[in-house]
Amino acid sequence: MAKHAIVVIDMLNDFIGEKAPLRCPGGEEIVPNLQKLMKWVRERNAEGKDDIHLVHIQEAHRKNDADFRVRPRHAVAGTWGSDFIKELYPEGDEYIIPKRRHSAFQHTDLDLYLKEENIDTVVVTGVWTNVCVRSTASDALANAYKVITLSDGVHSKNDEMHEYGLNDLRIFTKVITIDEYIDAWEKGEDPWLGGGDTENKVD
């Protein structure tokens, strides 16, 4: 059976909420959806099932990070802005991976963690669909993982950016809703089946 890691990307104070300097309004819309998903995973884990891991990605820049040459200062390591929003705070032994670049794979130990845990499928959630989510998904594929995008578990600054991001993600990931993802697991099916665009139909 497949083993999945649900990667929750950058659901942090500096992205979510009215006080966020790099606010992603769409990210606020998906909070209840991600709460539902994380509750379901945690209940499975409490039953002793270890086939789905929650991995929290935390943008944590140094004070003079190169990223600030092109974007507003945000998510500096050790600050309130780099911390997770209270609604989606990590629990127990859920793994936290700090990153300084768009992709959760760039200069982090995400790939090492996934290999140690024999995980074969990366499920992307969080913000922004067209930036950090897309970059992480692309690098997951480059590292030979199967990739799923949960369409109502990701979002961007606005609907247009979000839809552009999803369209790109349909080329090389399986794009489904959270309910469809959960339903497949409950039926004993691999939610990734049929992923990608093997017939070159996405345009």
Side-chain angles (χ1 to χ4, degrees):
M1 186 64 180
K3 193 170 184 183
H4 291 196
I6 295 175
V7 179
V8 185
I9 300 170
D10 293 342
M11 296 301 288
L12 311 176
N13 290 319
D14 267 0
F15 294 103
I16 309 298
E18 293 183 2
K19 296 181 180 179
L22 203 58
R23 187 181 181 191
C24 179
E28 295 154 28
E29 297 177 23
I30 64 173
V31 169
N33 302 339
L34 291 178
Q35 286 179 310
K36 172 184 174 180
L37 176 65
M38 290 166 67
K39 180 176 183 289
W40 174 74
V41 174
R42 287 166 178 164
E43 288 174 350
R44 288 175 59 90
N45 292 344
E47 295 171 358
K49 297 173 182 175
D50 191 36
D51 47 10
I52 307 176
H53 289 216
L54 284 173
V55 181
H56 302 268
I57 307 302
Q58 180 182 33
E59 196 150 306
H61 293 288
R62 68 186 188 92
K63 185 172 66 173
N64 296 315
D65 203 294
D67 198 48
F68 302 152
R69 298 172 190 165
V70 295
R71 300 296 284 151
R73 184 176 299 276
H74 62 280
V76 174
T79 67
W80 172 86
S82 182
D83 201 5
F84 301 96
I85 60 172
K86 64 181 185 301
E87 295 91 342
L88 298 173
Y89 218 82
E91 295 183 3
D93 294 329
E94 294 166 3
Y95 203 53
I96 298 172
I97 295 181
K99 71 176 176 72
R100 289 176 50 207
R101 295 296 179 260
H102 292 159
S103 170
F105 283 89
Q106 283 290 316
H107 311 294
T108 74
D109 73 342
L110 178 56
D111 185 52
L112 178 62
Y113 173 82
L114 298 174
K115 286 181 167 57
E116 287 178 337
E117 297 295 334
N118 297 312
I119 289 167
D120 60 13
T121 304
V122 172
V123 182
V124 290
T125 70
V127 295
W128 299 19
T129 310
N130 57 316
V131 186
C132 294
V133 172
R134 188 189 182 284
S135 297
T136 298
S138 179
D139 279 353
L141 179 69
N143 282 282
Y145 295 100
K146 296 181 287 184
V147 190
I148 295 171
T149 302
L150 298 182
S151 58
D152 54 348
V154 298
H155 218 301
S156 200
K157 186 176 182 179
N158 55 52
D159 290 342
E160 185 178 27
M161 285 183 173
H162 173 61
E163 290 301 329
Y164 277 138
L166 283 182
N167 199 54
D168 284 348
L169 287 159
R170 286 187 179 94
I171 296 172
F172 60 94
T173 80
K174 176 73 173 288
V175 178
I176 55 176
T177 66
I178 289 172
D179 283 344
E180 288 170 336
Y181 179 77
I182 292 174
D183 185 60
W185 272 103
E186 297 294 343
K187 291 178 178 177
E189 301 170 355
D190 184 351
W192 178 82
L193 291 177
D197 181 28
T198 57
E199 297 181 3
N200 197 31
K201 289 183 176 181
V202 175
D203 54 26

